[in-house]
Amino acid sequence: VLRPRKDSTGKERWMLENPGPNVNTEFWESTPAIAPDGTLYFASNRPGSVGGPKKNFDMQRDIPRSGRQEESNKVEYDIDIWYCPYDWETGSWKPAINAGTVINTSGTEMAPFINTDGTMLFFSSNGHKPSKGGLDFYVSAIAPDGSLGKPQNLGEPLNSPKDELGFFITYDNTEIYFSSMKQDGKHSKIYRTTFPTPVANDGSKEK
């Protein structure tokens, strides 16, 4: 995490810091997203996942190359979305909490993204229904109390029978960037499109 800190000369600089053991473990943690209230959302295959230990874990399929741990013999767990509330008094993140069965399934949930006002959680999943196939984009409304609404599939043209990952909305809420294997099913390419119909805080589409 990059934070503004004063160096030995007293000059403020951006410095790289490890967010600590409440976030990072010996397992895989990746695709972080920070909400306006400081809550850190991320994906992890740590113990405590909704699906439990993976019976048919596929390193090629379930963990991106940059996060693989080929030498590890430890049990792998389903990839779930987790979050750590931010403690503004101590300037650190609190212990990680699994996002629960509303978001996580016995499949894979990963690559969370929070919109600029903190009211929507976007993520990729191959465990929710309906599905176009592979990893699809879903959105869940975040209520004022932090509870998460039932995920909705974002449908076409964003989703396809192949994998979609890396959902990102520009700050002005006008464009979406994402990666997809829809072209040939083997290679991910980056796509851009305009932002679709907004989703209200109660999870329904605004009219």
Side-chain angles (χ1 to χ4, degrees), residues 111-180:
F113 176 82
I114 307 296
N115 67 329
T116 54
D117 65 4
T119 60
M120 291 183 283
L121 165 65
F122 297 87
F123 62 98
S124 293
S125 172
N126 62 9
H128 283 282
K129 303 295 180 186
S131 171
K132 296 292 182 182
L135 289 164
D136 274 9
F137 289 133
Y138 292 83
V139 61
S140 172
I142 304 175
D145 65 358
S147 60
L148 297 163
K150 182 179 179 180
Q152 299 178 20
N153 188 295
L154 293 185
E156 297 176 340
L158 295 178
N159 291 322
S160 74
K162 305 301 180 181
D163 288 345
E164 278 74 43
L165 278 168
F167 187 94
F168 177 86
I169 304 174
T170 55
Y171 186 78
D172 60 3
N173 291 323
T174 61
E175 293 184 314
I176 296 170
Y177 289 82
F178 65 99
S179 69
S180 174

Side-chain angles (χ1 to χ4, degrees), residues 80-138:
D80 276 4
I81 292 175
W82 298 70
Y83 65 93
C84 294
Y86 191 69
D87 189 330
W88 292 93
E89 292 185 1
T90 63
S92 61
W93 278 284
K94 297 178 182 180
I97 302 170
N98 188 286
T101 55
V102 171
I103 301 299
N104 295 314
T105 69
S106 59
T108 293
E109 281 72 41
M110 61 189 304
F113 176 82
I114 307 296
N115 67 329
T116 54
D117 65 4
T119 60
M120 291 183 283
L121 165 65
F122 297 87
F123 62 98
S124 293
S125 172
N126 62 9
H128 283 282
K129 303 295 180 186
S131 171
K132 296 292 182 182
L135 289 164
D136 274 9
F137 289 133
Y138 292 83

